[in-house]
Amino acid sequence: MYRKLPCKRIDGELCEDHLHEVIEEVPLALFVNGRHAMTAMMSPVMLEEFVTGYLFTEQIIKGIDEIESIKIEKNRMSVITTNLFKVLGPKKTILSGCGGSTSFIDTEKLPKIQSDYHITTQEIWNAGKAVLNSELHRLTGGIHIVALLDGEKIVAVSEDIGRHNALDRVIGFGLRNRMDLSKTYVMVSGRISSEMVRKCLIANIPIIVSRGATTTLAVETAEKTGLTVVGFSRGGKMNIYTHPERVSVVKPGP
């Protein structure tokens, strides 16, 4: 996921030749039933999981059983679905800061969360210590981390230059392993956007947690659709912006 590239490293008055770890970014074109669906700039890992999660969260497929085959070669991902004549429409939302189409969120058309899943604040803090402790991030400083969890149990972790790509991967992992995503939650290293909220709603993942910030549109959308949004989860603190009934508050442990 990274290569060592030459650079001049400056430290005060010291200047020296250096090799530094730089995260890979590659273009990958997705074709569905022979038609171009999109081209993503991303980290070249967990590609079948990404394709599965992307097709599902963009509502091109309704489930894993609609995928007949996935073929990956060089910079091209080709998918054949059970419905060969399905028309690929535009995305239904603007992506927050990462490109997208020119239409806006309509919360009336989004699914509502159907889940009785609960976690504790201590489980969130403990999981954060494990999930966000990334050697790749320490080396490169250039990736986002997204994890799919059940309590403190890490189900899947994805690291990518784009947090939306990483979220699609862990959702795809859950689908390919036929998990009940309503009994899981996701933790992200970066900002929670409205697009990440939308993807969680499509997958019926009831809670999204970040060690960073969220946006107003993400909070407003989550409030109307039953999703729990937690931000700034670090150092024994957190902000629960929506549906706090899913998170039980306990005293922080060591």
Side-chain angles (χ1 to χ4, degrees):
M1 285 186 62
Y2 69 87
R3 288 183 287 133
K4 289 189 175 183
L5 300 183
C7 64
K8 291 285 187 182
R9 183 166 67 178
I10 310 299
D11 186 356
E13 296 181 354
L14 178 65
C15 176
E16 61 182 0
D17 293 329
H18 182 66
L19 290 175
H20 189 264
E21 296 83 357
V22 178
I23 201 74
E24 284 191 276
E25 178 182 14
V26 300
L28 286 164
L30 172 62
F31 289 80
V32 179
N33 299 328
R35 289 165 286 184
H36 181 254
M38 64 93 185
T39 298
M41 303 302 298
M42 60 191 298
S43 303
V45 295
M46 295 177 66
L47 296 183
E48 289 190 0
E49 287 83 358
F50 168 75
V51 169
T52 303
Y54 175 84
L55 294 178
F56 182 74
T57 61
E58 294 306 315
Q59 298 178 288
I60 297 171
I61 62 171
K62 294 181 180 179
I64 185 67
D65 292 332
E66 291 188 21
I67 296 178
E68 290 280 1
S69 67
I70 298 176
K71 183 179 180 181
I72 298 171
E73 51 185 6
K74 294 184 179 180
N75 296 94
R76 179 186 177 109
M77 303 174 287
S78 300
V79 179
I80 300 298
T81 70
T82 54
N83 182 359
L84 294 175
F85 303 103
K86 184 175 180 63
V87 176
L88 304 181
K91 291 183 179 180
K92 299 175 177 59
T93 65
I94 281 182
L95 302 184
S96 301
C98 294
S101 70
T102 55
S103 59
F104 292 89
I105 279 181
D106 182 353
T107 55
E108 295 302 316
K109 295 181 180 179
L110 290 173
K112 305 296 190 293
I113 292 294
Q114 304 295 323
S115 174
D116 59 0
Y117 186 68
H118 288 76
I119 53 176
T120 69
T121 52
Q122 187 64 62
E123 286 176 316
I124 292 174
W125 288 317
N126 290 346
K129 292 176 183 178
V131 167
L132 304 178
N133 183 25
S134 167
E135 178 65 21
L136 183 61
H137 181 71
R138 283 193 293 272
L139 282 173
T140 66
I143 53 97
H144 289 286
I145 307 166
V146 177
L148 184 69
L149 303 110
D150 180 3
E152 295 178 30
K153 179 184 176 183
I154 300 173
V155 176
V157 176
S158 175
E159 296 173 306
D160 196 280
I161 59 170
R163 63 198 190 283
H164 299 151
N165 296 340
L167 179 56
D168 277 332
R169 279 200 192 91
V170 298
I171 291 174
F173 179 92
L175 292 171
R176 296 182 71 82
N177 287 276
R178 301 187 181 276
M179 297 179 59
D180 181 358
L181 294 176
S182 72
K183 303 298 184 184
T184 66
Y185 69 105
V186 292
M187 181 171 289
V188 305
S189 59
R191 182 183 71 252
I192 298 173
S193 67
S194 58
E195 177 66 2
M196 297 188 82
V197 165
R198 187 188 70 82
K199 288 178 182 292
C200 287
L201 293 174
I202 298 298
N204 198 30
I205 295 172
I207 303 169
I208 183 168
V209 179
S210 176
R211 70 178 174 190
T214 185
T215 69
T216 56
L217 185 55
V219 170
E220 291 165 3
T221 304
E223 180 61 40
K224 294 176 181 178
T225 53
L227 179 71
T228 298
V229 170
V230 180
F232 298 106
S233 175
R234 57 194 184 209
K237 300 178 182 179
M238 67 178 65
N239 293 347
I240 306 176
Y241 293 97
T242 60
H243 301 281
E245 65 274 7
R246 287 203 183 89
V247 182
S248 300
V249 179
V250 300
K251 182 180 179 180

